[in-house]
Amino acid sequence: MCGIIACRTDRPATEYLRVGLRRLEYRGYDSVGIAVRTAGGGIARLRTTERIGALDTLLDRWTGPRFDGLGIGHTRWATHGVVSEGNAHPHTDCANQISVVHNGIIVNAVALRARLARAGHKFVTTVDSEVLCHLIEDERRAGDLLQAVQNALASVQGSWALAVLEHATGRIVLAANGSPLLVAHTADGDFAASDIAAIADWVDEYRVLGDGDIVDLTDQDTWRHCGAAIPPPMATRSLWRGGDVELDGYADYMAKEIDEQPEAVARILDELGDGIATGALWNGLGLPPFERLRMLGCGTSLNAGNVLGNLARRLGGVPASATLASEAGGEVADTGQLCLAISQSGETADVLRAMQSSAVGESPVVAITNNVHSTLARRADAVVGCSAGPEIGVAATKTFICQVVTGSALLLSALVATKRLSTPSAMGFVDDLRRLPDQLATAAAVARCVVPTMVDGLLAESGFIFIARGLGLPYAAEGALKLTELTYRWAECYAAGELKHGPLALIGAGTPVIVIENGDPRLAANTAEVQARGARVISIGLPGSAVPVIENHTAPWGPIVATVPLQILARTMALALGHDVDKPRNLAKSVTVE
Ligand code: F6R
């Protein structure tokens, strides 16, 4: 989704903006733009609806005055207004005295636009963000830019991370509310970005703006909150390196990130392993005991939530339900409930909204996230990081595996601490978890040999059915989601026992049915039902399956290794169809709109 970068550097700002915007590419975008001061105090505003390479070309061909070190940049993922150069950020006010980049949604944009237009402001775009330029323009008449931004935001409802560049002075003012923004001071200069990835090349530590904060991007940041000066928050060490977003010889990030799964799981177990069977991991969170669990998430993260629900029910007899974050408003919180909010980005608007919904009420929330400085992490009562490392591919791969492993570690620890599981049993499960890195690596090797041989025969198919039972179901759902988002083909997941209640009508000669074969004895009959109707069955699972990857079919987290061939199937098909596996159409990495 949209990304922001701002810089105040000694060298030309374009040198940093070009790199930073490229680092933001992974989030998905449909247009990109910058506003940079030039020697003599002018402003160069360059925007394109093409890829960032097109912006590079505009900069390479620039024949105007030299760029100075002050600039802002933006990658846009359209929500309000079509994809066009005019709608691309940065936007300006009527008098072209400020440039603004904005992430978030202005909820009362229509009313503000009407009011500003009546007052004589000329709007040149159809995006909500433009109202900010005109509001700040009015307030700037009284003088100070920081005060103007503060006054302007007083009438705005919604979410924002914004950077405002004042053309005459080169001053840059930042503000955040419900949308991430961070600042950093480095040997190269002062930076702000919506995502640490954008500035990871130059930044060792950074500070995160809280909701309502306004900051002057100088080497001595002035921080304000609700009109009052506040000390800057504690700095956070950056775990990203610029090189983290390099392909390291891989053809795409998805391939790289699938390969990183064993190492990521080993890292999680190094970090959390000792606190599992002792209950210390859970006790360290300082949360009250719980009687039931509610998992909140979207897409892949909700699939991980379903895995965790199965584990809690099976091992601890804990009632557990998984709630689609976007539908949480229709649910009612249960007494004694603990919520697990699962989100790799920690910025998913649906999840943030769900935390304020009736499904959560007053219950404590643990965030399981790959971004421990995210809005979700800051708003939750406790946080457990997934330690997947940077994931650039839009389709979640290693973050899913890491959510399952981290969440399983947490729940095992909680069950021990609440006397629902014995320490020796938990120790046995920890041993099983420690075997996972090798099993995942083996699964990848097997799948890479077998899956490509199946793909040619599948490319012409328009629809795919995934079936499983019990603990295999969330993995089948994840396989179907991955195939859908990467191949742009229909893929539906069904509980195998449900087929005869309707979906069996879909099966005809050659219909591809992917079965997660996890040893449930009832699956054989369901597989026979589809085979009898001519389906082409691809079984993934225990020895004897077409893709034999599962060794431990009794683990309470289910057949996690089946994920690997499912990822490889989706990737291999998508590549054969000519799709970009890292940037599936219409999708974004961090979904900050509801
Ligand atoms: C699918 C995928 C999405 C995300 C979903 C939630 O590959 O990545 O379904 O899982 O958008 O995102 P997070 O986990 O950031 O809340």
Side-chain angles (χ1 to χ4, degrees), residues 298-301 342-345 348 394-396 403 481-482 485 591:
C298 311
T300 289
S301 295
I342 307 168
S343 169
Q344 60 81 22
S345 63
T348 301
V394 164
Q403 286 169 340
L481 178 62
K482 220 85 307 173
E485 65 186 323
V591 187

Side-chain angles (χ1 to χ4, degrees), residues 446-465:
V446 170
R448 261 193 222 100
C449 280
V450 182
V451 170
T453 63
M454 303 169 163
V455 160
D456 277 354
L458 297 173
L459 293 178
E461 299 296 339
S462 58
F464 295 77
I465 292 182

Side-chain angles (χ1 to χ4, degrees), residues 330-402:
E331 300 281 334
V332 179
D334 293 311
T335 319
Q337 157 187 290
L338 171 73
C339 292
L340 302 184
I342 307 168
S343 169
Q344 60 81 22
S345 63
E347 300 295 348
T348 301
D350 288 325
V351 177
L352 297 177
R353 174 57 67 103
M355 283 175 78
Q356 299 164 335
S357 73
S358 53
V360 173
E362 298 303 309
S363 27
V365 178
V366 183
I368 298 181
T369 176
N370 201 33
N371 181 356
V372 292
H373 306 294
S374 58
T375 309
L376 173 65
R378 283 183 278 126
R379 292 186 185 171
D381 299 288
V383 185
V384 186
C386 286
S387 305
E391 185 177 77
I392 308 296
V394 164
T397 51
K398 63 174 176 168
T399 53
F400 171 71
I401 294 285
C402 290

Side-chain angles (χ1 to χ4, degrees), residues 520-544:
D520 188 310
R522 299 165 302 170
L523 260 177
N526 303 129
T527 306
E529 280 162 16
V530 294
Q531 269 166 334
R533 287 155 182 88
R536 172 177 178 180
V537 170
I538 298 171
S539 57
I540 294 179
L542 291 168

Side-chain angles (χ1 to χ4, degrees), residues 205-570:
E205 55 177 38
Y206 59 88
R207 295 181 160 79
V208 182
L209 276 77
D211 287 348
D213 285 358
I214 301 183
V215 178
D216 206 336
L217 183 66
T218 62
D219 50 7
Q220 306 291 325
D221 293 335
T222 310
W223 287 67
R224 277 215 222 157
H225 182 80
C226 297
I230 54 165
M234 294 284 290
T236 300
R237 281 207 77 69
S238 171
L239 300 177
W240 282 65
R241 289 281 146 266
D244 286 340
V245 287
E246 302 295 349
L247 277 168
D248 290 344
Y250 282 91
D252 48 73
Y253 289 107
M254 187 177 185
K256 181 181 179 217
E257 287 156 7
I258 291 172
D259 262 10
E260 286 170 348
Q261 293 178 135
E263 185 191 333
V265 170
R267 188 167 52 236
I268 295 169
L269 295 171
D270 280 349
E271 286 168 13
L272 306 182
D274 291 346
I276 300 175
T278 59
L281 171 58
W282 166 258
N283 288 332
L285 300 183
L287 293 169
F290 58 91
E291 298 308 318
R292 48 201 312 131
L293 285 177
R294 183 188 295 277
M295 280 68 60
L296 296 165
C298 311
T300 289
S301 295
L302 192 67
N303 291 334
N306 274 310
V307 174
L308 301 182
N310 285 340
L311 184 150
R313 280 188 291 266
R314 177 168 287 227
L315 285 188
V318 180
S321 57
T323 300
L324 264 177
S326 55
E327 294 296 330
E331 300 281 334
V332 179
D334 293 311
T335 319
Q337 157 187 290
L338 171 73
C339 292
L340 302 184
I342 307 168
S343 169
Q344 60 81 22
S345 63
E347 300 295 348
T348 301
D350 288 325
V351 177
L352 297 177
R353 174 57 67 103
M355 283 175 78
Q356 299 164 335
S357 73
S358 53
V360 173
E362 298 303 309
S363 27
V365 178
V366 183
I368 298 181
T369 176
N370 201 33
N371 181 356
V372 292
H373 306 294
S374 58
T375 309
L376 173 65
R378 283 183 278 126
R379 292 186 185 171
D381 299 288
V383 185
V384 186
C386 286
S387 305
E391 185 177 77
I392 308 296
V394 164
T397 51
K398 63 174 176 168
T399 53
F400 171 71
I401 294 285
C402 290
Q403 286 169 340
V404 169
V405 173
T406 305
S408 298
L410 174 66
L411 288 182
L412 288 171
S413 182
L415 295 179
V416 171
T418 56
K419 309 225 174 318
R420 290 166 165 121
L421 181 69
S422 72
T423 296
S425 303
M427 286 167 76
F429 291 129
V430 174
D431 288 344
D432 288 344
L433 285 173
R434 289 197 194 279
R435 281 190 273 275
L436 268 182
D438 284 345
Q439 291 169 0
L440 289 165
T442 306
V446 170
R448 261 193 222 100
C449 280
V450 182
V451 170
T453 63
M454 303 169 163
V455 160
D456 277 354
L458 297 173
L459 293 178
E461 299 296 339
S462 58
F464 295 77
I465 292 182
F466 288 67
I467 60 170
R469 276 183 178 265
L471 303 192
L473 257 176
Y475 296 102
E478 177 58 11
L481 178 62
K482 220 85 307 173
L483 197 84
T484 305
E485 65 186 323
L486 293 178
T487 65
Y488 318 153
R489 301 281 162 89
W490 293 95
E492 293 292 336
C493 167
Y494 296 103
E498 272 297 288
L499 286 177
K500 56 192 175 296
H501 300 294
L504 208 49
L506 291 169
I507 308 291
T511 308
V513 177
I514 291 95
V515 184
I516 308 303
E517 177 54 82
N518 67 335
D520 188 310
R522 299 165 302 170
L523 260 177
N526 303 129
T527 306
E529 280 162 16
V530 294
Q531 269 166 334
R533 287 155 182 88
R536 172 177 178 180
V537 170
I538 298 171
S539 57
I540 294 179
L542 291 168
S545 307
V547 193
V549 288
I550 299 178
E551 291 172 31
N552 176 2
H553 69 287
T554 57
W557 43 85
I560 185 171
V561 290
T563 310
V564 181
L566 293 169
Q567 293 166 341
I568 290 175
L569 173 68

